[in-house]
């Protein structure tokens, strides 16, 4: 076994690989870009090497710099993590040529499975059922359109070099095909440097079922059962679990056998995943499940497999790379309980799931569950990399218990000012359809409205008033108003209220999440921080404890913010709300309706579907920005005319730049 490993990656996957390396007594070496100088993976490693500026192309994706770092530190092995260079066969070869152990798939297997069209052809030859579609060399729009027409809509256009859910467009009707093709090709060219596509029949009620396989250098391949990753948003996995709900023995036997066959067809060594798409209209059935692609690397969601099998897949990767046989035989592997993983993304569900970048001033994750993360409080989410900041993994005896445990864990996430999808995860996990395992990849799209909190809940409003009253009670918060009782006399005397026995009553105003809340709050007893809160004609009893507020019969929220802060935060089941002085917030939505389309983050203009003078309908795309590897269309906020498009395709823009103006159309 080698005695040192360099991880050619960042974030949570680098930290994950280091964890196993440390346990095995292997020296850990990190590489990092200038943007990651203070990142967790750098601090956790025994040694770290700066390899270049923030953009991945100039650091993490620069093979020469990574290899130079390996030589300089005497690294005996390189683990690529996932993404970045994990599926780069040239890099794998360069690593081996340098006499360094490559902890990844054999270059030939990476190449064979690297392009989705070639991989599908290979699988057809190996007798593995594949998704029907067109995977030809003729890439003319006319031919592609004709093939799509022949397959019948809906179809899916996929970048042959695609990955991570990017470079994919569902098309429901022939008229929309060419536009979708253009946007798919743009994304494919910029993300993968290859704009070729294939067309697939869009499978109805699609469920994403994948099989973890593991091979060694002696020709043995085992599987570690399946995962269900059907809960996706725009083809990106959000919640994954193992095993798959509704999987019967016959279907499991068929799909795992197909996976092993696929891995053997490419002489696979190490950890790999065979992804299948299943038509879930009548539950999972052995004859309705097709090969989609193989990921020749460790997968983001590998922890759920580790949980149900008790295997440390990174340890197995180390052993396979060192030439050892697969540690367990197929008949020694079994499924124990149920595991679920949620991906915590730095994104703002209430704002179209735009990635959210910035400082993690407050970053608190729950205890008692497995957390794989690469950031910590005080760290930063930068514009340069993936917005996934943590994974929460729960293992329990039953699916029900795993889902409940994971919902509770996600509900305890507290992050600010970066926004996350934690509250959205809770709502997914508690949704009646998810609870019974009735989820296909369209679930989020169909239910999205109900999965996103756009307004603070009643509980949050009560908590906001409680906090406002409490601050006022202690004489430190300036904005409570309309005092009705002799408070004023004590206002500058912190805690004075608690010495008085007479109940005190006052009306308060606050803004929470940009919305006003007002009501009457009465301190119940001296000293115990409990309050009668009256909002409109409803009364509540709320009690504040360190870091949380309980409202009798309603629920509990977390909060942060000392009495002397100018604002404080309320955390409700994964959602974060800021409590502020009312007048600061009243103009919050005014900016959104003046017709200016602002860049939500720094990025590059990739399309300008509307020109100055065009008449546009509300919701129609005006200008398209690419940032954090995704395209974001900025849409007309109302019916109107495009007044100005201030940038052209290829321009780099700063956050908040006004990209275009839409003028309200005079009604004739
Ligand atoms: P797929 O969607 O192909 O099954 P996964 O969901 O397992 O893939 O995610 C792999 C993707 O993770 C990569 O294609 C890449 O976009 C992204 N990624 C790359 N590097 C990192 C990283 N350090 N942390 C998190 N995600 C990453
Ligand atoms: P990537 O390399 O980006 O992971 P995949 O080919 O694995 O691309 O597809 C990603 C996701 O897109 C799948 O998990 C599934 O949700 C959806 N998908 C892919 N192919 C189809 C299809 N033919 N019909 C319906 N959904 C599909
Ligand atoms: Mg995939």
């Amino acid at each position: 076994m080698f005695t040192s490993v360099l991880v050619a990656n960042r974030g949570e996957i680098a930290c994950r690989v280091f964890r196993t390396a440390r346990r095995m007594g292997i020296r850990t070496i990190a590489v990092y870009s200038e943007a990651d100088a203070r990142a967790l993976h750098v601090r956790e490693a025994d040694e770290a090497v700066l390899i270049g500026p923030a953009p991945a192309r100039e650091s993490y994706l620069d093979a020469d710099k990574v290899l130079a770092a390996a030589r300089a530190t005497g690294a005996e092995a390189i683990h690529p993590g996932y993404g970045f260079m994990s599926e780069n066969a040239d890099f794998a070869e360069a690593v081996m040529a340098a006499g360094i152990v490559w902890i990844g798939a054999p270059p030939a297997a990476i190449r064979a499975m690297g392009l989705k069209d070639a991989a599908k052809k290979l699988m057809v030859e190996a007798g593995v059922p594949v998704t029907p579609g067109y995977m030809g060399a003729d890439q003319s729009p006319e031919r592609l359109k004709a093939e799509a027409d022949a397959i019948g809509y809906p179809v899916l256009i996929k970048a042959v070099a695609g990955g991570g859910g990017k470079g994919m467009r569902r098309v429901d009707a022939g008229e929309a095909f060419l536009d979708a093709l253009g946007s798919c090709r743009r994304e494919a060219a910029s993300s993968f440097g290859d704009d070729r596509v294939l067309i697939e029949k869009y499978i109805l009620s699609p469920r994403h079922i994948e099989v973890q396989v593991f091979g060694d250098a002696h020709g043995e391949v085992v599987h570690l059962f399946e995962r269900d990753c059907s809960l996706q948003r725009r083809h990106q996995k959000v919640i994954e679990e193992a095993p798959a709900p509704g999987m019967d023995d016959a279907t499991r036997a068929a799909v795992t056998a197909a996976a092993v066959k696929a891995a053997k067809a490419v002489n696979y060594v190490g950890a790999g995943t065979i992804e299948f798409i299943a038509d879930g209209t009548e539950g999972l059935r052995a004859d309705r499940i097709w090969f989609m692609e193989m990921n020749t690397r460790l997968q983001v969601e590998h922890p759920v497999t580790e949980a149900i099998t008790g295997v440390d897949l990174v340890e197995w990767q180390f052993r396979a790379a060192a030439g050892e046989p697969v540690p367990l035989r197929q008949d020694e592997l079994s499924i124990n309980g149920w595991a679920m993983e949620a991906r915590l993304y730095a994104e703002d569900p209430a704002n179209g799931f735009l990635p959210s970048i910035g400082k993690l001033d407050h970053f608190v994750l729950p205890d008692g569950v497995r957390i794989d993360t690469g950031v910590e409080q005080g760290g930063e989410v930068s514009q340069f990399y993936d917005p996934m900041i943590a994974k929460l993994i729960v293992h329990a005896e039953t699916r029900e218990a795993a889902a409940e445990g994971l919902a509770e864990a996600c509900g305890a996430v507290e992050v600010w000012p970066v926004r996350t999808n934690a509250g959205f995860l809770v709502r997914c996990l508690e949704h009646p359809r998810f609870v019974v395992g009735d989820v296909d990849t369209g679930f989020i799209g169909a239910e999205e409205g109900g999965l996103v909190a756009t307004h603070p809940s009643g509980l949050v409003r009560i908590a906001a008033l409680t906090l406002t009253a409490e601050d006022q009670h202690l004489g430190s918060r300036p904005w409570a108003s309309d005092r009705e009782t002799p408070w004023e006399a004590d206002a500058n005397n912190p805690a004075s209220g608690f010495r008085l026995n007479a109940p005190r009553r006052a009306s308060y105003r606050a803004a929470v999440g940009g919305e006003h809340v007002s009501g009457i709050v009465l301190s119940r007893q001296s000293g115990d921080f409990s309050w009668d809160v009256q909002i409109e004609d409803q009364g509540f009893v709320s009690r504040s404890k360190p870091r949380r507020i309980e409202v009798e019969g309603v629920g509990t929220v977390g909060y942060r913010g000392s009495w002397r802060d100018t604002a404080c935060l309320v955390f409700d089941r994964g959602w974060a709300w800021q409590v502020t002085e009312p007048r600061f917030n009243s103009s919050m939505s005014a900016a959104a309706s003046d017709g200016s389309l602002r860049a939500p983050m720094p990025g590059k203009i990739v399309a300008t579907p509307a020109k100055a003078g065009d008449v546009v309908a509300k919701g129609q795309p005006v200008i398209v920005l690419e940032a954090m590897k995704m395209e974001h269309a900025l849409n007309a906020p109302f019916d109107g005319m495009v007044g100005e498009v201030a940038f052209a395709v290829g321009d780099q823009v700063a956050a908040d730049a006004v990209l275009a103006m839409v003028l309200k159309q005079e009604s004739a």
Side-chain angles (χ1 to χ4, degrees):
M1 179 68 56
F2 39 85
T3 62
S4 58
V5 62
L6 180 149
V7 176
N9 212 306
R10 60 181 301 282
E12 62 91 18
I13 185 56
C15 295
R16 161 72 192 91
V17 174
F18 289 154
R19 195 156 67 221
T20 293
R22 266 197 307 274
R23 185 170 57 70
M24 295 174 70
I26 296 170
R27 187 163 63 96
T28 56
I29 303 158
V31 290
Y32 65 98
S33 71
E34 280 161 12
D36 280 337
R38 281 178 299 278
L40 194 57
H41 80 276
V42 175
R43 292 201 287 103
E44 282 191 347
D46 294 324
E47 242 179 291
V49 184
L50 173 65
I51 52 167
R57 246 171 298 105
E58 297 164 48
S59 48
Y60 296 107
L61 289 173
D62 186 327
D64 293 336
K65 288 180 177 167
V66 174
L67 282 170
R71 277 192 217 100
T73 53
E76 291 171 41
I78 291 185
H79 192 303
Y82 33 67
F84 292 148
M85 291 195 285
S86 58
E87 294 177 278
N88 181 332
D90 294 341
F91 179 65
E93 275 168 356
V95 169
M96 292 187 276
I100 298 169
V101 176
W102 167 248
I103 309 174
I110 297 178
R111 287 208 175 91
M113 291 296 189
L115 296 175
K116 290 184 203 288
D117 51 348
K120 285 176 71 179
K121 285 176 195 149
L122 191 71
M123 288 302 106
V124 173
E125 285 161 27
V128 174
V130 307
T131 331
Y134 170 76
M135 30 197 181
D138 184 350
Q139 291 282 312
S140 65
E142 302 72 33
R143 175 69 187 274
L144 292 169
K145 166 100 174 20
E147 293 288 347
D149 290 344
I151 293 166
Y153 296 92
V155 299
L156 196 62
I157 310 175
K158 279 188 189 178
V160 300
K166 277 147 238 142
M168 209 175 300
R169 296 290 183 282
R170 174 182 165 156
V171 187
D172 288 311
E175 304 87 79
F177 185 85
L178 291 174
D179 276 353
L181 178 66
S183 126
C184 186
R185 282 210 153 132
R186 261 196 319 272
E187 199 170 292
S190 86
S191 302
F192 314 112
D194 181 341
D195 74 353
R196 285 175 300 153
V197 299
L198 60 82
I199 317 279
E200 272 179 15
K201 174 140 201 71
Y202 190 87
I203 305 298
L204 293 176
S205 287
R207 280 182 62 184
H208 176 115
I209 305 290
E210 60 182 35
V211 177
Q212 176 73 54
V213 293
F214 202 95
D216 64 25
H218 314 284
E220 175 69 0
V221 175
V222 299
H223 70 81
L224 291 93
F225 310 99
E226 80 281 1
R227 295 183 283 257
D228 187 326
C229 315
S230 301
L231 203 120
Q232 303 183 345
R233 193 177 160 272
R234 296 169 82 190
H235 308 304
Q236 302 209 54
K237 297 162 186 169
V238 178
I239 292 171
E240 302 106 336
E241 60 186 295
M247 176 69 82
D248 59 72
D249 290 345
T251 309
R252 176 173 293 134
V255 74
T256 54
V260 169
K261 203 194 277 179
K264 283 191 167 155
V266 294
N267 301 314
Y268 201 72
V269 179
T273 294
I274 318 285
E275 295 191 331
F276 296 87
I277 190 97
D279 172 345
T281 43
E282 291 171 41
L284 292 176
R285 284 178 35 177
D287 59 348
R288 293 209 187 156
I289 185 157
W290 300 275
F291 172 88
M292 204 161 42
E293 65 159 345
M294 176 169 190
N295 292 324
T296 50
R297 55 170 158 84
L298 192 68
Q299 201 100 334
V300 173
E301 55 275 22
H302 73 278
V304 293
T305 298
E306 296 188 318
I308 60 159
T309 59
V311 166
D312 179 335
L313 283 168
V314 173
E315 177 184 340
W316 278 30
Q317 286 189 297
F318 286 178
R319 296 194 180 286
E324 294 183 22
V326 178
L328 292 177
R329 291 195 316 269
Q330 189 67 62
D331 62 8
E332 292 173 316
L333 287 159
S334 59
I335 298 176
N336 168 25
W338 213 284
M340 254 179 223
E341 170 183 287
R343 299 188 184 196
L344 188 68
Y345 286 109
E347 63 186 15
D348 187 359
N351 189 12
F353 291 85
L354 276 173
S356 177
I357 56 182
K359 273 267 199 183
L360 293 162
D361 289 340
H362 186 74
F363 182 74
V364 177
L365 300 181
D367 295 325
V369 304
R370 173 170 170 182
I371 305 265
D372 285 15
T373 185
V375 295
E376 60 192 330
Q377 182 150 306
E380 195 163 355
V381 180
S382 87
Q383 66 184 90
F384 298 103
Y385 314 111
D386 205 281
M388 192 178 80
I389 51 175
K391 303 183 304 202
L392 288 74
I393 304 107
V394 168
H395 184 209
E397 270 179 31
T398 61
R399 182 171 190 273
E400 199 183 8
E404 269 176 26
L406 189 54
E408 192 182 323
C410 292
V413 168
E414 296 185 354
V415 183
W416 189 268
V418 165
R419 309 302 158 93
T420 77
N421 64 340
F424 171 79
L425 292 169
V426 173
R427 290 196 180 188
C428 289
L429 289 159
E430 291 181 340
H431 195 282
R433 277 183 59 196
F434 182 81
V435 169
V436 299
D438 167 30
V439 163
D440 62 38
T441 61
F443 169 80
I444 288 176
E447 309 284 345
E448 194 161 306
L451 298 171
V452 176
T454 45
H455 301 280
S457 65
L459 174 61
V460 170
R461 298 163 72 89
I462 299 163
L465 267 195
T466 305
L467 286 166
T468 304
E470 210 154 75
D471 274 15
Q472 177 60 29
H473 208 98
L474 294 171
S476 62
R477 195 175 290 236
W479 63 83
S481 60
D482 307 327
R483 294 175 199 126
E484 289 179 351
T485 56
W487 281 80
E488 265 131 320
D490 300 307
N492 294 319
N493 183 1
S496 66
F498 299 107
R499 289 196 300 275
L500 295 174
N501 291 323
R504 311 177 139 216
R505 210 183 136 74
S507 71
Y508 293 93
R509 290 187 295 127
V512 58
E515 292 180 18
H516 286 202
V517 49
S518 58
I520 294 167
V521 183
L522 168 73
S523 101
R524 303 197 102 201
Q525 273 164 18
S526 47
D528 84 336
F529 296 87
S530 73
W531 310 83
D532 280 318
V533 179
Q534 177 122 15
I535 297 180
E536 281 155 16
D537 54 0
Q538 283 195 289
F540 306 92
V541 175
S542 85
R543 194 165 287 114
S544 76
K545 305 268 169 79
R547 304 185 49 80
R548 63 179 216 273
I549 292 179
E550 290 171 9
V551 181
E552 267 177 30
V554 184
T556 301
V557 295
Y559 74 87
R560 179 204 92 146
S562 80
W563 305 128
R564 262 150 268 281
D565 275 353
T566 51
C568 74
L569 303 166
V570 172
F571 299 102
D572 177 26
R573 310 278 298 142
W575 305 101
W577 303 101
Q578 189 170 25
V579 184
T580 57
E581 184 174 359
R583 65 186 156 84
F584 285 157
N585 260 283
S586 48
S587 64
M588 289 226 346
S589 50
S593 57
D594 73 354
S596 62
L597 301 178
R598 288 172 186 272
M601 68 192 74
K604 189 172 84 183
I605 304 301
V606 291
T608 51
K611 310 270 166 291
D614 284 1
V615 173
V616 287
K618 181 179 173 185
Q620 198 175 319
V622 177
I623 189 158
V624 184
L625 177 77
E626 190 197 76
M628 291 177 100
K629 300 193 285 182
M630 295 286 285
E631 284 194 1
H632 307 281
L634 299 174
N635 302 331
F638 36 68
D639 295 349
M641 192 180 81
V642 177
E644 189 198 357
V645 177
F647 293 92
V649 170
D651 287 351
Q652 286 288 340
V653 298
D656 238 28
V658 176
L659 305 181
M661 285 294 294
V662 177
L663 311 170
K664 265 221 167 89
Q665 196 77 312
E666 307 284 319
S667 44

